[in-house]
Amino acid sequence: MSRIGNKTITIPSGVEFSVTAGNEVTVKGPKGTLTRQFSPLIEIKNDNGVLTCVRANEEKHTKQLHGTTRALIYNMIVGVSEGYKKELEIEGIGYRAAVSGNKLTLNVGYSHQIEYVAEEGIKIECPTANQIVVTGIDKQRVGEVAANIRAYRKPEPYKGKGIRYKGEHIRRKEGKTAGK
């Protein structure tokens, strides 16, 4: 029994939802438009602004798709109405970031600067030199871009230097002890 798949989704005002043949879902909202193809094993019903996902049978694979489909549709609706945001922090002496246009420039302890070009639909901002904010309407793409930026210099466990998610706790290790 999928508890997530059985939940209903209420479509907020200002969001248009349509399902075409072949289970292709299109969601239009104030922030943009998202389209995604879903499995024909899950039937998506729209009853006056309330969405339900109904599975065709009780096989294990279909049950797995049930909750996933509902969660993806919900994320699409939230994305086009509110959007998603990931915040990153840079910690370390001399570590900083800057944005010009859609290009993020990172100085994170290497001999060269790292330039990351934001893809279409993703916006990168730097409110301060040690903060990065990634925003967009697709939850997966926002998380992926934030993870790619973090991968340039992951936080190290001894001094905590590197790029981390806002609020992320880094387990610290004790360094060498001098002259026992």
Side-chain angles (χ1 to χ4, degrees):
M1 172 173 134
S2 173
R3 293 186 178 152
I4 300 294
N6 290 332
K7 284 183 169 180
T8 60
I9 302 170
T10 305
I11 300 174
S13 61
V15 175
E16 297 176 24
F17 182 86
S18 63
V19 181
T20 60
N23 259 7
E24 185 173 293
V25 172
T26 304
V27 182
K28 292 181 184 177
K31 298 235 180 216
T33 303
L34 289 174
T35 304
R36 190 175 190 125
Q37 182 78 28
F38 290 102
S39 171
L41 295 172
I42 306 297
E43 183 184 350
I44 302 160
K45 295 180 180 178
N46 186 358
D47 299 324
N48 297 331
V50 177
L51 297 176
T52 54
C53 296
V54 181
R55 59 181 177 242
N57 54 42
E58 296 298 315
E59 293 179 10
K60 183 178 181 183
H61 178 68
T62 309
K63 288 180 179 181
Q64 292 168 345
L65 287 174
H66 189 207
T68 303
T69 301
R70 189 257 178 213
L72 290 172
I73 292 171
Y74 178 76
N75 289 341
M76 289 169 68
I77 290 172
V78 171
V80 298
S81 60
E82 300 168 21
Y84 287 101
K85 174 170 75 168
K86 284 273 191 181
E87 297 182 33
L88 299 162
E89 298 173 336
I90 301 174
E91 190 157 326
I93 296 174
Y95 287 16
R96 62 186 173 275
V99 174
S100 61
N102 67 340
K103 187 185 293 184
L104 173 69
T105 304
L106 297 169
N107 291 330
V108 285
Y110 295 117
S111 61
H112 58 282
Q113 293 179 339
I114 297 170
E115 292 184 347
Y116 184 86
V117 179
E119 56 190 55
E120 186 77 26
I122 299 294
K123 185 177 179 189
I124 300 176
E125 301 170 337
C126 286
T128 64
N130 61 353
Q131 289 182 330
I132 303 169
V133 179
V134 181
T135 56
I137 62 172
D138 191 347
K139 185 176 187 178
Q140 179 185 352
R141 289 176 60 203
V142 169
E144 187 177 353
V145 167
N148 289 340
I149 292 170
R150 182 182 181 270
Y152 285 121
R153 179 66 86 171
K154 290 183 181 174
E156 53 96 16
Y158 295 101
K159 293 184 179 179
K161 293 165 53 172
I163 304 172
R164 65 179 78 184
Y165 296 113
K166 185 174 184 180
E168 179 183 7
H169 175 71
I170 305 300
R171 290 189 62 199
R172 303 296 287 272
K173 292 183 179 178
E174 187 177 330
K176 292 182 181 178
T177 55
K180 281 189 171 182

